[in-house]
Amino acid sequence: KEYATMIRDSGSHLLGVVNSILDVSKIESGAYPIQPEPFVFAEAASVCHAMLAVQAAAKSVELVNKVTPAVGEVCADRRAVQQVLINLLSNAVKF
């Protein structure tokens, strides 16, 4: 079940990457629609952590997910926040 969840999350991430590429064009044209919604930041961070943990382990890098409970909910574009986190974690693992 956990492996299937990771596969689904990875597929969603790849779709998100494709959407991000399209979003760059929208940003450059000034037509990127921000869709703020309340969500628990720790959950978004956990999804990103799970997606990159295997990649990090393969490079002998330990990812630690520590989000203080005081963060709670944020109101932001969830997809954009997750993409930022994924980009940061990917760069941290690579370099």
Side-chain angles (χ1 to χ4, degrees), residues 41-94:
F41 183 80
E43 290 174 5
S46 292
V47 168
C48 298
H49 178 267
M51 288 171 48
L52 292 163
V54 173
Q55 178 185 354
K59 293 200 172 202
S60 300
V61 173
E62 179 185 6
L63 290 182
V64 178
N65 185 10
K66 290 185 181 180
V67 178
T68 181
V71 172
E73 278 193 352
V74 296
C75 187
D77 187 312
R78 183 181 184 123
R79 186 169 48 107
V81 169
Q82 285 183 313
Q83 190 61 51
V84 167
L85 291 173
I86 289 166
N87 291 348
L88 288 171
L89 291 173
S90 291
N91 287 337
V93 168
K94 286 179 192 175

Side-chain angles (χ1 to χ4, degrees), residues 11-66:
S12 294
H13 168 64
L14 289 176
L15 178 60
V17 168
V18 171
N19 286 333
S20 293
I21 292 168
L22 296 173
D23 290 344
V24 169
S25 297
K26 291 178 184 176
I27 289 169
E28 290 174 351
S29 70
Y32 181 77
I34 300 294
Q35 297 176 342
E37 61 179 308
F39 63 92
V40 177
F41 183 80
E43 290 174 5
S46 292
V47 168
C48 298
H49 178 267
M51 288 171 48
L52 292 163
V54 173
Q55 178 185 354
K59 293 200 172 202
S60 300
V61 173
E62 179 185 6
L63 290 182
V64 178
N65 185 10
K66 290 185 181 180

